[in-house]
Amino acid sequence: MRAYDTKYQTIIIGGGIAGMTAALQLYKFGIRVLIIEKEDNLGGHLNKWYKLFPGFVNADEVVSNIVSEINDKRIHNITSDEVISIDSIYDNYIVKTSSGHSFEAESVLLAQGFNTFDPTKKEEYGYGLYSNVKTSVEVEKILKEHSNITIPKRIGLIHCVGSRDEKAGNLHCSKLCCVSAVKQSIELKERFPDAEVICFYIDLRMFDNGFEELYMEAQVEHGIKFIRGRLSECSENIDGSLVLKVQDTLTGLPMNVSVDWLVLMVGKEAAKLPNLDKSIDLKLAPNRFVAPENIFYNPNQTSQPGIFCCGTVSGPKTIHESAADAKAAAMSIIDYLNRK
Amino acid sequence: MPFDPFVIPFSVGLLFVLVVMGYKYVSWIRQMPKPQTPLKGFQRIKALWDATVEVFMESLLHRKIFKQNVMLGFMHSSIAFGWFLLIVLGHFEAKSVSDNAFNPPYFSIFLYFFVPERSMYKGHAFFSFGMEFILALILSGVFLAYLKRLTKRLFGMKRTSKMRGIDKIALYSLWSIFPLRLIAESFNAYVHDSGSFLTGPVGQFFGSFLPVANLEYSMWWAYSLSLGVFFIALPWSRYSHIPTEMVLIYLRRLGYRSCSKPTGYTMFDLYSCSRCGICIDSCQMNIVYRGRNETVTAHYIYDVRAGHENDFALFSCLACGRCEDACPVGVKTVDLRIGNRYENTKEFGLNHKIETINVVANSAIGYFSGCMGKLTPTVIDSMKQISSAAGDTLFHLDEEKGICCGRPLLLAGQLKQSENIIEKNKQRIESLGIQTLVTSCPICLRTFKNDYNLKIEVIHHSEYIERLIVSKKLVVNNSEAVVAYHDPCDLAHGLGIKQAPRDVINSAAVLYENPDTKSQGLCCGGGLAGVSLNSQQKLSIAYDAIQQITNGETNTLVTSCPLCKKTFAQTRMADVKDIAELVAENILTDGKGTQKLQKQSMLEAVSE
Amino acid sequence: MSGFGFSISKSSTIEYKPEEFHLANIIEENEPTSRLCISCGSCSATCTGGEFAKLRMHYIHLYVKRNLTDKIREELQNCMFCGKCQLVCPRGVNNRNIIRLLWENI
């Protein structure tokens, strides 16, 4: 959309699945919204994913469905623009972006999503040093673009990289990496049928419908190996393959495994928030994600009236959980606007 | 001495089959152990007579097959009994025309070739008619055999065994023997203007357009060849069952038995199987296999004889015995299977460490709950309630630690390992000083009875409860609830205990039984003999069984085996209860025991 | 890299080379449910033989998968083949068949 208004009832920061779903829900109730997205396209992280668990649905399909609805309904949105500050003025908010726009909004919905952990902080895993160490995000790209030069004979996936780890600065569990690892191990095995795929885990958090069944499918039909234990060190051979030193906790013995690729299941961290002026009191949880007012009664209202949150900005969620959360946030906003 | 070169195929074949089968039988008999209870004197003579009658009734008339399906029975008996009559009557016919004391066997078979002038026979009209009537009977059976290959259902069979290689040679030659006999004798009748109601007209028919006189000799050759080929193929085909089952009947009557360890007797059992395929329909493994059921006896024996048996088929058999019950020959299929497992596996080389705790029981009745007991504690609890209500004390042998009875190892073919455990367990049991051993597990019960040689009485817990009810020590209230009962394989097929559990159930509830005979005696699928079956496969058998047993009439299934209980419970299709639980729920407050309990609870109430 | 002057005894580290683990491959091929084991320990908890001597079915799984084959025979000594391990397994691993295959192939 080229022409924008200057005043909106709700400004949604972030044009991912949560932001877009909330926008569509608000639109149904006649609320005028604006989505501000910092990347070049709407869609958020979903644009990068290949297939979604547990049913291996194409991420592209999910994104394009919802983006085309946004366009059909001509919902205002700006891309390639990042929100840099939010100030409060009387009952409303002034939102300023990096390209110089300034908008006034009666309410703001935070939907910036999450950042992935940067594994260079765990240098013993060799990311950035050795060429065959990749993150799970990079693997999605490889799978999606069918790009790849070499065929690995053995692939290791390490769970909990940057999660549940005091030394990485994140105590929390990122919830989705376990099932992503299972999913990616199946996809890698299908892409490289002769390869051996091993997941090195601490626990296997298969919490949602179909996840445990996916795990069993990975074990039986694809022959994926699951070894409980942490990777302590990773070193590189001359040919670029990696030697891993892990503890096999179930036998109680240390183990040496050589792999061609090492995939790090990077955790999810809180997204960067825009600058907030001093009168705005936005409380964060200890894990730095946005803290909802009350997780039972008011999960989408932040500690600052008029500023709402939905999606992974308040903690790791699956895609359908984010979408459901977004609809709930929209209803909270409508209620707020009506009472204003 | 009458002779013609064309009799050579027949004669060679006959000699061959007699020598080969004879040699086999002798070598098997030499490997047989003596019967456990050998017969003496008059018993032996009676046994031989009974055996002869049985051979007549089963091997010739195929009475059991008639019971299964009339068409099938007629087909088999017309050919078998008919052929027998042909040989006997033919022998007398030959006597009527020849003065020699001994004629070679081929003489009566090809009589009309050697003595075509029928008027030379004493009573030729009678013989001709009789022989041709029998031939017509046989031909009707052969026709049915052709038909059976096309429409199995007419014969009451859903599945039949397939044939390969040497079986086909034997079958086709068998099928051609009697038509060729008809043609040869008809041609002969036409040429010599003889023949009765069958060969006469047939001969006329052929003579009207064929140079019969020139062809007659070649027909005799063809007839002889078909016989010869059949005899030579017989020892390696399924038709070796014909002579073998007759020998088997005699051996059985004389007291020889099969057992889990293979002996010479096992070979008789093995080769008496005609692979008729009647067992196939009864096997529940049909549910597990999509195509050919490789586990069922008929197919498994074929694969063994053909040299390509497979591991899964050998170890997936549930040893339920349904095939054994269906077998018209009475082959002991379960023993065959276990014996095969014994031969095909290495010794496990186990060395069990089991503490022998020397305890003396506090009662004359011991209760053994078995390995599965701890996993079904409601059964143990119910047994305690029942016995105390009846005023009995049950000494629970394996309350704290228990050893397995040893049957699972036996079913896997590990006979020596099983014997080791049995010995240790037996010492424990005998040192206790009990007089009766009650067990709630039919698997343990069967092994206690068959393999332990205990001096004390061993009964199933349903029999114990029945005794209590009959002697009025326990009074049970009938709740009028409708329940279905599943017969555990080891209890019903293995030990014949079917009525006691039913009587017990009838005192506490209303028993529903599916009237369809095919739905009776089904295995739960969880049998310990099914080693290579995985849980999904077992569950598919359980689903099918529970649906047939309850048949939509009730939501409660009662069983008397802890393994069956656990297997059926997994289907989530009904409430599964053990028979002890059903009774315990319905105990009337009567009998000395419950009065004691009542008094006790009153005291407790007062002291509070 | 040989030990830094300390050990004379064989290293206890497992060298994970599954292509060379022949026993594991045989078991996996003949009994694919062996792949389902998650070492929860339900089997060992209920084991009949395990009440008298050391017998832990879930350890046997691990020994097979890590090729520590010399430990298997000792661990299996007391097995009575009763099948309780299989009956309680939450994932449906066919333990008895695996034990039988092990005895055939050790």
Side-chain angles (χ1 to χ4, degrees), chain A residues 154 212 219-220 248 254, chain C residues 14 16 19 35 38 66 91:
Chain A
R154 192 174 298 145
E212 181 72 18
Q219 286 179 300
V220 180
D248 180 9
Chain C
I14 303 169
Y16 192 70
E19 61 276 6
R35 290 173 165 186
I38 52 173
R66 306 287 184 265
R91 276 165 150 244

Side-chain angles (χ1 to χ4, degrees), chain B residues 378-379 484 486 546 550 555-579 581-582 585:
Chain B
T378 45
V379 177
H486 164 257
I546 200 173
T550 53
N555 236 5
T556 309
L557 180 68
V558 177
T559 182
S560 43
C561 167
L563 195 51
C564 295
K565 182 183 178 195
K566 281 251 167 260
T567 310
F568 280 128
Q570 213 183 337
T571 65
R572 323 287 300 277
M573 286 184 74
D575 264 337
V576 186
K577 289 187 192 173
D578 186 85
I579 199 170
E581 284 177 72
L582 181 71
E585 283 170 3

Side-chain angles (χ1 to χ4, degrees), chain A residues 217-245:
Chain A
E217 183 193 318
Q219 286 179 300
V220 180
E221 279 156 49
H222 303 277
I224 293 164
K225 304 275 181 287
F226 289 85
I227 296 180
R228 188 184 184 279
R230 294 296 273 161
L231 170 66
S232 66
E233 295 142 28
C234 174
S235 49
E236 198 182 31
N237 289 327
I238 300 171
D239 62 355
S241 66
L242 306 155
V243 178
L244 308 176
K245 182 156 182 275

Side-chain angles (χ1 to χ4, degrees), chain B residues 139-368:
Chain B
L139 286 170
S140 67
V142 174
F143 172 71
L144 285 179
Y146 297 155
L147 205 63
K148 178 165 163 277
R149 285 284 137 187
L150 299 169
T151 53
K152 305 187 270 272
R153 289 210 174 248
L154 194 63
F155 297 83
M157 289 175 69
K158 278 189 246 162
R159 272 168 260 253
T160 54
S161 44
K162 290 211 194 99
M163 306 257 235
R164 285 168 224 189
I166 198 109
D167 284 330
K168 280 197 176 146
I169 296 174
L171 178 71
Y172 296 150
S173 55
L174 177 64
W175 275 359
S176 47
I177 290 174
F178 296 101
L180 283 173
R181 181 183 173 119
L182 174 67
I183 293 175
E185 293 190 350
S186 303
F187 283 20
N188 181 285
Y190 181 78
V191 167
H192 299 280
D193 199 25
S194 57
S196 184
F197 74 95
L198 184 63
T199 55
V202 173
Q204 291 291 329
F205 170 72
F206 281 115
S208 62
F209 62 91
L210 285 177
V212 165
N214 298 336
L215 293 171
E216 188 203 336
Y217 187 56
S218 15
M219 286 298 117
W220 286 110
W221 265 100
Y223 177 37
S224 174
L225 273 167
S226 66
L227 278 164
V229 169
F230 178 69
F231 286 142
I232 293 179
L234 186 139
W236 289 284
S237 74
R238 62 200 284 218
Y239 300 101
S240 57
H241 82 272
I242 298 172
T244 314
E245 88 176 40
M246 297 189 204
V247 180
L248 181 71
I249 290 174
Y250 278 97
L251 290 175
R252 273 208 295 250
R253 290 278 174 181
L254 288 170
Y256 292 91
R257 292 280 172 268
S258 69
C259 63
S260 302
K261 214 173 203 170
T263 63
Y265 183 89
T266 314
M267 298 304 282
F268 281 105
D269 246 347
L270 184 66
Y271 282 91
S272 290
C273 165
S274 60
R275 294 195 307 107
C276 61
I278 290 176
C279 57
I280 301 178
D281 278 339
S282 64
C283 182
Q284 285 165 270
M285 289 294 291
N286 289 330
I287 300 165
V288 171
Y289 287 94
R290 299 261 165 80
R292 178 177 185 253
N293 179 344
E294 293 180 344
T295 306
V296 72
T297 309
H299 289 146
Y300 180 67
I301 288 184
Y302 177 87
D303 288 340
V304 167
R305 290 201 227 167
H308 49 73
E309 62 213 80
N310 81 64
D311 195 57
F312 178 79
L314 174 59
F315 280 98
S316 54
C317 171
L318 292 162
C320 63
R322 281 167 66 84
C323 53
E324 208 173 276
D325 288 339
C327 179
V329 179
V331 174
K332 291 284 172 224
T333 58
V334 176
D335 281 335
L336 262 183
R337 188 69 59 128
I338 307 295
N340 230 293
R341 290 182 182 183
Y342 170 75
E343 286 185 324
N344 279 310
T345 53
K346 280 162 46 175
E347 232 11 86
F348 271 16
L350 300 164
N351 181 16
H352 296 102
K353 282 194 197 63
I354 302 162
E355 303 153 23
T356 39
I357 315 157
N358 286 331
V359 196
V360 176
N362 64 351
S363 147
I365 311 175
Y367 172 57
F368 185 76

Side-chain angles (χ1 to χ4, degrees), chain C residues 48-93:
Chain C
T48 313
E51 286 187 66
F52 301 97
K54 195 170 72 168
L55 173 51
R56 301 157 300 183
M57 189 62 209
H58 73 292
Y59 266 76
I60 292 172
H61 274 286
L62 287 167
Y63 293 153
V64 170
K65 288 171 185 168
R66 306 287 184 265
N67 209 39
L68 301 167
T69 47
D70 33 324
K71 296 201 181 192
I72 297 175
R73 184 178 284 271
E74 192 201 322
E75 196 88 23
L76 269 182
Q77 284 295 320
N78 236 34
C79 174
M80 301 191 196
F81 219 60
C82 66
K84 283 175 85 179
C85 50
Q86 196 165 321
L87 207 61
V88 300
C89 177
R91 276 165 150 244
V93 178

Side-chain angles (χ1 to χ4, degrees), chain B residues 38-86:
Chain B
L39 303 174
K40 300 173 185 97
F42 176 69
Q43 281 178 326
R44 216 180 246 192
I45 298 170
K46 182 167 189 312
L48 287 172
W49 168 251
D50 285 338
T52 313
V53 170
E54 191 181 338
V55 165
F56 188 80
M57 294 301 273
E58 298 303 336
S59 305
L60 295 177
L61 290 179
H62 291 87
R63 193 178 51 119
K64 276 198 199 138
I65 299 189
F66 259 109
K67 276 196 201 157
Q68 165 108 359
N69 178 284
V70 175
M71 293 287 267
L72 200 62
F74 179 74
M75 181 192 98
H76 282 99
S77 64
S78 60
I79 299 177
F81 189 52
W83 201 354
F84 172 73
L85 285 178
L86 265 187

